[in-house]
Amino acid sequence: MKILTGNSNRPLAEAISAYLNLPLTKASVRRFSDMEVFVEIHENVRGEDVFIIQPTSYPTNDNLMELLVTIDALKRGSASRITAVIPYYGYARQDRKSGPRTPISAKLVANLITTAGADRVLTMDLHAGQIQGFFDIPTDNLFAAPVFSKDIHERMNKEPLTIVSPDVGGVLRARAIAKRLDADLAIIDKRREKAGVSEVMNIIGDVKGQRCILIDDIVDSAGTLCNAAMALKDAGATAVSAYITHGVLSGGAVARVTASPLEELVMTDSIQATEAVRVAHNIRQISVAPLLGEAMRRISDEQSVSCLFD
């Protein structure tokens, strides 16, 4: 078993390497003067079971290209099996036609990864579970729910909790954590007038006197999250926190979060934190390196991955 990383999230790769007690494979992933991606692997990978850790976060296209070129380099180096470990799967929100003459980019990216030569994909909290079906190779979709549940239990065990889904589409995700914590569930009905702008309309469930925890898979502009937090506070919630798997936080999202009623925004390290995220007073990262590392070990040893969530 060998572990390789691109430039997208080296700290996460190093944490996984430390968990597995395996050194990262020596490789160069660099650019030519015209910004072409060039990959050179400095160790023998012939007949090896290789895992490439490369979330396709910002800059999405550069990181995706790094992943594809690295897969090709490994395939031509005669690796026996290549697993693309993509903690954050970019383009996942384009999982269906949103209108006439629009692409399904999540499927296109799946085709590119498969054609490049990946034998397996390991990802986490896909925006839509059916994206697994876009791949014609085995795909494991891990869940951050156990990591979140443990953190919530350790920090907020003695308070009356309500787990809140910020939209109808995230109910299953929120319900899974509510069930683990034996907590109440609430849902926010929102109506989005146009892309990037959301308006909170109604809260389904009683949140008065409760500590509310918003659960979602991606926070991008943070508009929905901050509006939801404000609505919950107005409805009588004592405090509002948020647990999000992938902290994209583009544009002015960090400033929006720091100025919001959110007591704390907790994210995994599936995407490398920017300097603005690191210095924000109410944003905290928790690591999913042990979860990803254990899944990688089980895949390499041909053991069950699903039992991680039993």
Side-chain angles (χ1 to χ4, degrees), residues 121-160:
V121 169
L122 175 63
T123 186
M124 187 171 68
D125 271 342
L126 284 169
H127 186 61
Q130 63 265 27
I131 292 174
Q132 292 175 85
F134 290 176
F135 288 92
D136 295 323
I137 53 178
T139 304
D140 293 298
N141 182 29
L142 305 181
F143 305 105
V147 180
F148 286 165
S149 300
K150 182 183 176 188
D151 192 77
I152 294 168
H153 182 74
E154 289 172 353
R155 289 174 174 266
M156 309 172 191
N157 190 28
K158 296 178 182 177
E159 301 178 61

Side-chain angles (χ1 to χ4, degrees), residues 31-240:
R31 303 286 191 278
F32 288 134
S33 57
D34 62 352
M35 299 308 291
E36 281 186 11
V37 175
F38 178 72
V39 175
E40 186 176 7
I41 298 162
H42 302 304
E43 295 182 23
N44 180 32
V45 293
R46 186 179 297 274
E48 297 281 1
D49 187 10
V50 186
F51 292 79
I52 311 164
I53 301 166
Q54 179 78 343
T56 51
S57 50
Y58 176 84
T60 306
N61 297 333
D62 286 0
N63 288 328
L64 175 60
M65 200 65 204
E66 276 189 17
L67 175 64
L68 298 175
V69 174
T70 305
I71 290 170
D72 188 70
L74 289 168
K75 184 174 72 170
R76 295 176 190 282
S78 301
S80 66
R81 181 170 66 176
I82 303 166
T83 302
V85 181
I86 313 171
Y88 170 67
Y89 184 79
Y91 287 100
R93 286 173 283 183
Q94 298 184 47
D95 60 341
R96 62 191 182 280
K97 288 190 71 170
S98 57
R101 297 168 297 281
T102 57
I104 305 178
S105 304
K107 169 60 175 168
L108 172 62
V109 171
N111 288 346
L112 289 170
I113 291 167
T114 305
T115 304
D119 298 298
R120 191 179 195 100
V121 169
L122 175 63
T123 186
M124 187 171 68
D125 271 342
L126 284 169
H127 186 61
Q130 63 265 27
I131 292 174
Q132 292 175 85
F134 290 176
F135 288 92
D136 295 323
I137 53 178
T139 304
D140 293 298
N141 182 29
L142 305 181
F143 305 105
V147 180
F148 286 165
S149 300
K150 182 183 176 188
D151 192 77
I152 294 168
H153 182 74
E154 289 172 353
R155 289 174 174 266
M156 309 172 191
N157 190 28
K158 296 178 182 177
E159 301 178 61
L161 295 178
T162 296
I163 305 299
V164 183
S165 172
D167 53 38
V168 176
V171 172
L172 288 176
R173 191 179 296 108
R175 185 190 294 153
I177 292 181
K179 187 176 178 183
R180 284 174 174 268
L181 296 169
D182 194 25
D184 293 333
L185 179 68
I187 304 164
I188 292 179
D189 169 41
K190 71 169 187 191
R191 298 187 186 179
R192 193 185 295 271
E193 300 300 328
K194 58 182 180 179
V197 178
S198 65
E199 182 183 2
V200 173
M201 299 296 291
N202 190 32
I203 297 172
I204 304 167
D206 185 18
V207 298
K208 190 173 182 178
Q210 297 280 306
R211 170 180 275 277
C212 292
I213 300 174
L214 287 153
I215 303 291
D216 210 350
D217 63 323
I218 298 173
V219 56
D220 189 350
S221 66
T224 296
L225 205 63
C226 295
N227 288 345
M230 199 171 296
L232 291 168
K233 290 290 281 186
D234 291 344
T238 57
V240 183

